Amino acid sequence: MTEIALKDILFNDNDRIREDLQEDGILELISSIENVGLIQPIILDRTHKLIAGRRRLEAFTRLQRETIPFLYFEDLDPVQQKVVEFDENAKRRQLTWQESSKAIAEIHRLMASRDRKHTLGETAATIGFSIGYTSEALQLADGLGNDRVAAQPSREAAI
């Protein structure tokens, strides 16, 4: 497997779906890497921009490693990149309802910008959720500008 120097990886936390790296999760990941090794490499595009694996990158940084295994996914379009990032985050550590709603809205927006006839059902199928859940996520994402909605502790309370 190919490795890259950590210093050569480009990322901007403001562009990431996950807003909070969650300290306890990073510590668990560090322990896992020390005991088992890195199971899943990070994903980069050809410019070395991080697509998926921000928590793994943070763990390697804290372990003071100089390199990390990676795979290129430069052939993925922006929708696929967001889907990969969303899938990585949703399966590794629960996203907040706010993070999930924003990610689903971004995926839907990107898909719609690619195809004017794009449907909500296509977005739902791409991310593996029901149309109803996806529709609610889009409504919640629209409501994140409202402090009363954004401050709710759960998706159900925000709805």
Side-chain angles (χ1 to χ4, degrees):
M1 186 166 300
T2 307
E3 295 203 0
I4 185 171
L6 272 59
K7 65 180 179 54
D8 293 337
I9 299 169
L10 306 172
F11 67 94
N12 180 346
D13 280 335
N14 294 329
D15 295 337
R16 312 293 303 159
I17 291 174
R18 184 177 302 285
E19 294 176 359
D20 178 8
L21 292 178
Q22 300 172 324
E23 184 66 18
D24 60 331
I26 296 293
L27 296 175
E28 287 175 13
L29 186 53
I30 288 170
S31 177
S32 173
I33 290 168
E34 287 177 320
N35 293 319
V36 179
L38 185 65
I39 296 170
Q40 202 59 253
I42 63 170
I43 301 170
L44 305 174
D45 68 11
R46 290 279 178 188
T47 68
H48 297 164
K49 180 182 175 190
L50 183 68
I51 296 170
R54 177 64 181 94
R55 292 176 62 242
R56 285 168 274 170
L57 181 60
E58 180 67 20
F60 266 63
T61 299
R62 291 188 191 186
L63 287 166
Q64 299 180 338
R65 305 272 177 92
E66 292 186 21
T67 63
I68 188 168
F70 76 99
L71 296 173
Y72 279 131
F73 272 158
E74 79 283 3
D75 294 333
L76 296 179
D77 66 30
V79 172
Q80 292 167 317
Q81 290 176 3
K82 279 292 179 192
V83 170
V84 166
E85 184 181 356
F86 179 74
D87 187 64
E88 285 277 312
N89 285 305
K91 289 190 170 87
R92 302 295 181 260
R93 188 95 169 144
Q94 185 75 29
L95 293 171
T96 66
W97 71 265
Q98 296 94 334
E99 291 168 335
S100 180
S101 296
K102 284 193 312 192
I104 291 168
E106 178 69 6
I107 291 167
H108 183 69
R109 183 191 66 74
L110 288 167
M111 292 179 82
S113 71
R114 214 175 45 180
D115 175 9
R116 293 182 190 266
K117 294 180 182 178
H118 175 73
T119 67
L120 180 65
E122 290 169 326
T123 298
T126 298
I127 61 175
F129 287 114
S130 71
I131 293 174
Y133 184 92
T134 304
S135 176
E136 285 178 355
L138 295 177
Q139 291 172 1
L140 288 171
D142 285 342
L144 286 174
N146 178 325
D147 291 340
R148 283 187 16 211
V149 173
Q152 293 301 317
S154 69
R155 176 187 169 94
E156 292 75 21
I159 291 171

